[in-house]
């Protein structure tokens, strides 16, 4: 169970510091610090203070109690002013100085049961709540206090205020308490970062093929690959322009989303690669970026499934008719752009596939000779004859009508 026991209360109290423009990471930092202060640091200070007072060390107990009071006031100030940076600085400074002062009051490293370990939460917390540069400064401050403590040790009381049994008890509490809080914070931070990473990975894979996404994450190079054997499919709604002119904008988008979502499922099940949608046109490829010898067969099967899907469903109460065109041949595939980039295909085979769709007949799957030669033994194809294709001239074409 992923930190759910305390995730909800932290999320609620962290809203007092959240800003509309905060990134997920900043929201996580604020949630951790505000939640840790409210649910861990302040209660821990009260507990330690009352414990020292119960052992008749009121002066020592006043220090953690004072920390809890000042820390609680900083939370109230954050609620009133929403000045998160001031709150963060105050919390880190208190975490750094108060355990050190308690160590001095108790008589040094051993006599205080290493209570100064609590100060180590400051630089470790800065790594989570602030920048790396800031964390380095807090760490140097922590080291300076430790070194100063070494010089001051001879001037501190030699006799311990606590009994040997009490010293061991507080050693256990201090070490266990510090490590417990650090572990909880790191566990929650890493858990949430993993969730963010999973979301980013999912989003990236919705944009790019898995193989291409891995290359972009691990290498800095231009993505441009040649594939000698691939097949490309284009599908387009017949009479979409006049139909969309009669529909509300939200209905147009909803209709395309519905039908293309069906197509997406078919493409995913067939382990093919959706390249993009352009308006009401849907583009799929086989053989890129994963070469496969049955690229033409795979797209022919997909085309028949798409045709059956459209035939058997109504989308927003409408029956749609698609033209589908397929061609096979060599292509170049790559990623273009630095912002909102896209994985795309280029080459004469791509252009010809697009022409097969645009010069096709509604409700049919039109293919070139290149594709026909690859699938003719396994699919039932009927010749349409010779069609004058824009930019290509007369071409022999066929319709796939079944398997």
């Amino acid at each position: 169970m992923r930190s759910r026991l305390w995730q909800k209360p932290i999320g609620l109290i962290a809203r007092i510091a959240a800003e509309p423009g905060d990134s997920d990471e900043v929201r996580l930092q604020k949630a951790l610090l505000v939640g840790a202060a409210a649910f861990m640091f302040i209660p821990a200070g009260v507990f330690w203070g009352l414990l020292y007072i119960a052992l008749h060390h009121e002066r020592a107990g006043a220090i953690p109690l004072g920390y809890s009071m000042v820390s609680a006031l900083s939370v109230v100030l954050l609620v009133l002013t929403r000045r998160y940076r001031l709150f963060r600085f105050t919390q880190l400074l208190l975490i750094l100085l108060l355990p050190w002062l308690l160590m001095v009051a108790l008589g040094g490293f051993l006599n205080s049961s290493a209570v100064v370990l609590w100060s180590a939460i400051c630089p470790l917390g800065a790594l989570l709540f602030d920048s790396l540069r800031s964390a380095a400064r807090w760490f140097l401050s922590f080291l300076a206090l430790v070194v100063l403590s070494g010089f001051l040790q001879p001037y501190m009381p030699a006799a311990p205020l606590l009994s040997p049994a009490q010293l061991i008890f507080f050693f256990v509490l201090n070490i266990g308490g510090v490590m417990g809080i650090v572990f909880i914070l790191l566990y929650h931070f890493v858990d949430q970062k993993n969730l963010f990473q999973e979301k980013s990975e999912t989003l990236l894979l919705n944009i790019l093929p898995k193989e291409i996404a891995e290359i972009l994450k691990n290498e800095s190079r231009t993505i441009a690959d040649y594939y000698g054997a691939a097949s490309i499919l284009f599908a387009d709604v017949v009479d979409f322009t006049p139909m969309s002119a009669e529909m509300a904008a939200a209905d147009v988008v909803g209709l395309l989303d519905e039908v293309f979502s069906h197509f997406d499922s078919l493409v995913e099940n067939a382990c093919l690669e959706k390249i993009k949608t352009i308006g009401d046109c849907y583009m799929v490829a086989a053989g890129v970026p994963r070469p496969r010898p049955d690229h033409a067969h795979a797209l022919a099967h997909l085309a028949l499934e798409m045709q059956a899907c459209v035939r058997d469903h109504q989308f927003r109460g409408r029956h749609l008719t698609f033209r589908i065109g397929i061609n096979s041949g060599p292509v170049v595939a790559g990623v273009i752009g630095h912002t909102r980039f896209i994985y795309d295909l280029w080459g004469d085979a791509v252009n010809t596939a697009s022409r097969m769709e645009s010069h096709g007949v509604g409700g049919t799957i039109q293919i070139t000779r290149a594709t026909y030669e690859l699938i003719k033994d396994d699919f039932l194809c009927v010749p349409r004859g010779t069609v004058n294709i824009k930019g290509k001239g007369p071409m022999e074409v066929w319709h796939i009508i079944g398997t």
Side-chain angles (χ1 to χ4, degrees):
M1 187 166 55
R2 311 184 79 166
S3 311
R4 291 175 185 171
L5 292 178
W6 66 302
Q7 194 174 45
K8 185 174 181 179
I10 284 183
L12 292 174
I13 199 170
R15 291 178 185 174
I16 64 176
E19 298 292 342
D22 288 344
S23 65
D24 287 340
E25 185 170 351
V26 171
R27 287 180 180 273
L28 174 59
Q29 290 175 335
K30 290 181 176 181
L32 277 177
L33 182 54
V34 177
F39 299 112
M40 291 191 291
F41 300 153
I42 294 175
V46 173
F47 174 77
W48 254 253
L50 294 177
L51 193 57
Y52 280 120
I53 291 174
L55 295 173
H56 308 292
H57 301 299
E58 289 78 7
R59 187 178 65 174
I63 294 175
L65 285 177
Y67 159 77
S68 295
M69 292 178 60
V70 176
S71 186
L73 287 174
S74 72
V75 174
V76 174
L77 186 63
L78 176 64
V79 174
L80 296 176
T81 66
R82 302 183 66 83
R83 297 177 63 183
Y84 173 73
R85 290 187 178 181
L86 176 62
F87 172 75
R88 181 177 60 194
F89 176 80
T90 302
Q91 287 296 320
L92 293 176
L93 185 64
L94 289 171
I95 294 170
L96 179 69
L97 292 180
L98 271 297
W100 180 79
L101 291 175
L102 182 57
M103 181 196 71
V104 173
L106 290 171
F109 291 105
L110 293 177
N111 292 346
S112 68
S113 301
V115 73
V116 76
L117 283 175
W118 287 92
S119 293
I121 294 178
C122 170
L124 293 174
L127 284 172
L128 301 181
F129 312 135
D130 208 341
S131 64
L132 290 176
R133 181 177 297 180
S134 175
R137 290 196 294 265
W138 286 112
F139 180 69
L140 291 176
S141 300
F142 169 73
L143 288 182
L145 284 181
V146 173
V147 172
L148 178 61
S149 302
F151 284 108
L152 294 178
Q153 183 67 50
Y155 305 100
M156 297 180 188
L161 297 177
L162 303 173
S163 68
Q166 291 172 344
L167 284 175
I168 294 174
F169 174 71
F170 276 101
F171 262 117
V172 173
L173 281 184
N174 288 329
I175 295 173
V178 171
M179 295 306 298
I181 287 178
V182 169
F183 177 80
I184 290 172
L185 289 175
L186 287 174
Y187 180 90
H188 185 73
F189 185 82
V190 172
D191 180 61
Q192 293 300 302
K193 290 283 283 186
N194 287 341
L195 287 178
F196 297 157
Q197 184 68 28
E198 289 174 10
K199 291 180 182 178
S200 298
E201 290 283 345
T202 301
L203 180 61
L204 188 60
L205 292 177
N206 283 336
I207 300 172
L208 299 172
K210 180 179 180 180
E211 296 83 353
I212 304 303
E214 290 297 326
I215 293 174
L216 286 178
K217 286 191 298 182
N218 300 316
E219 302 178 29
S220 177
R221 69 176 178 88
T222 301
I223 307 296
D225 299 299
Y226 175 81
Y227 298 89
S231 291
I232 308 94
L233 176 150
F234 284 90
D236 189 82
V237 182
V238 176
D239 295 328
F240 178 76
T241 300
M243 179 180 66
S244 61
E246 302 172 354
M247 301 171 62
D251 291 333
V252 173
V253 175
L255 182 146
L256 290 176
D257 178 66
E258 187 177 340
V259 66
F260 287 167
S261 294
H262 279 80
F263 288 178
D264 287 346
S265 297
L266 297 176
V267 170
E268 185 176 359
N269 291 337
C271 297
L272 298 171
E273 200 63 50
K274 173 186 174 182
I275 303 300
K276 59 185 176 182
T277 59
I278 308 171
D280 61 315
C281 184
Y282 191 88
M283 179 182 178
V284 186
V288 293
R290 296 169 297 278
R292 54 187 296 175
D294 64 338
H295 53 88
H297 288 72
L299 273 194
H301 279 296
L302 175 68
L304 290 170
E305 291 179 346
M306 293 168 68
Q307 198 177 57
C309 174
V310 172
R311 184 180 60 246
D312 299 338
H313 289 82
Q314 284 190 357
F315 303 94
R316 296 293 174 106
R318 296 172 180 267
H319 283 289
L320 301 180
T321 302
F322 272 78
R323 290 187 303 267
I324 299 177
I326 303 175
N327 182 40
S328 304
V331 298
V332 173
V335 176
I336 55 174
H338 295 286
T339 59
R340 298 185 181 181
F341 43 74
I342 184 172
Y343 183 73
D344 210 346
L345 306 181
W346 300 271
D348 182 67
V350 178
N351 297 332
T352 304
S354 178
R355 295 287 186 267
M356 286 298 100
E357 175 273 312
S358 60
H359 288 73
V361 178
T364 65
I365 304 167
Q366 184 161 274
I367 63 174
T368 61
R369 173 172 286 279
T371 302
Y372 171 74
E373 293 295 339
L374 294 172
I375 68 170
K376 62 182 180 181
D377 294 332
D378 302 297
F379 288 82
L380 182 58
C381 303
V382 296
R384 182 186 174 188
T386 300
V387 177
N388 191 33
I389 304 297
K390 181 180 177 181
K392 301 294 293 183
M395 292 186 67
E396 289 183 282
V397 297
W398 286 258
H399 289 167
I400 303 175
I401 60 174
T403 54

